Amino acid sequence: MGIVITNNAYIAAKERLGFKKNTTERMALRALMDGINTYETSGQLFKYLEKRQEQNGQQNIVYKIYGENVYAFANNTDLYGERSIILVTVFMVPKELRNHVKSAIKRLEVA
């Protein structure tokens, strides 16, 4: 199982977050391993992620929050049955929801 980063994700990371290619790869791996899942959030943050997923019609996309950024991953299986995880895009958590991210992190640390 490997991680594949699309060109769109590289471009989005550079334009939206100021990440270089190596930074994008490193942060995508960290987000995948240590990021907060949508179901681990609550309230307005959960509603925001769910609404975003519905608007884009992305049922197979998994959102992971790492830091103040959201990483959108998709699962893929090739013809040989080899699974890979694809980073589709990245974007920042809206300013008004950043406190909710901090609250979710604290809640997970306590649990």
Side-chain angles (χ1 to χ4, degrees):
M1 181 174 76
I3 183 168
V4 177
I5 301 176
T6 64
N7 286 336
N8 180 60
Y10 280 122
I11 292 168
K14 184 174 183 175
E15 290 177 354
R16 298 173 186 167
L17 311 176
F19 288 176
K20 294 182 179 179
K21 188 174 182 178
N22 290 339
T23 304
T24 302
E25 293 168 358
R26 186 176 68 249
M27 295 305 286
L29 188 57
R30 285 185 185 174
L32 183 63
M33 303 306 283
D34 300 327
I36 300 171
N37 291 300
T38 301
Y39 65 84
E40 295 173 318
T41 64
S42 61
Q44 290 179 332
L45 183 58
F46 178 81
K47 289 177 185 177
Y48 169 76
L49 294 172
E50 287 290 308
K51 184 177 180 183
R52 180 122 186 180
Q53 196 166 16
E54 287 174 13
Q55 285 175 341
N56 296 328
Q58 300 169 332
Q59 298 303 322
N60 65 335
I61 298 292
V62 175
Y63 288 124
K64 295 276 228 168
I65 300 172
Y66 189 78
E68 294 182 344
N69 305 316
V70 179
Y71 296 78
F73 293 98
N75 289 316
N76 185 41
T77 305
D78 66 13
L79 296 173
Y80 304 106
E82 184 75 24
R83 282 192 56 214
S84 61
I85 297 172
I86 301 169
L87 177 64
V88 179
T89 191
V90 296
F91 53 93
M92 294 181 79
V93 174
K95 288 181 183 179
E96 62 272 10
L97 296 177
R98 290 186 186 157
N99 285 336
H100 296 277
V101 174
K102 292 175 185 174
S103 298
I105 292 169
K106 285 181 183 177
R107 196 172 50 252
L108 291 172
E109 287 175 350
V110 171

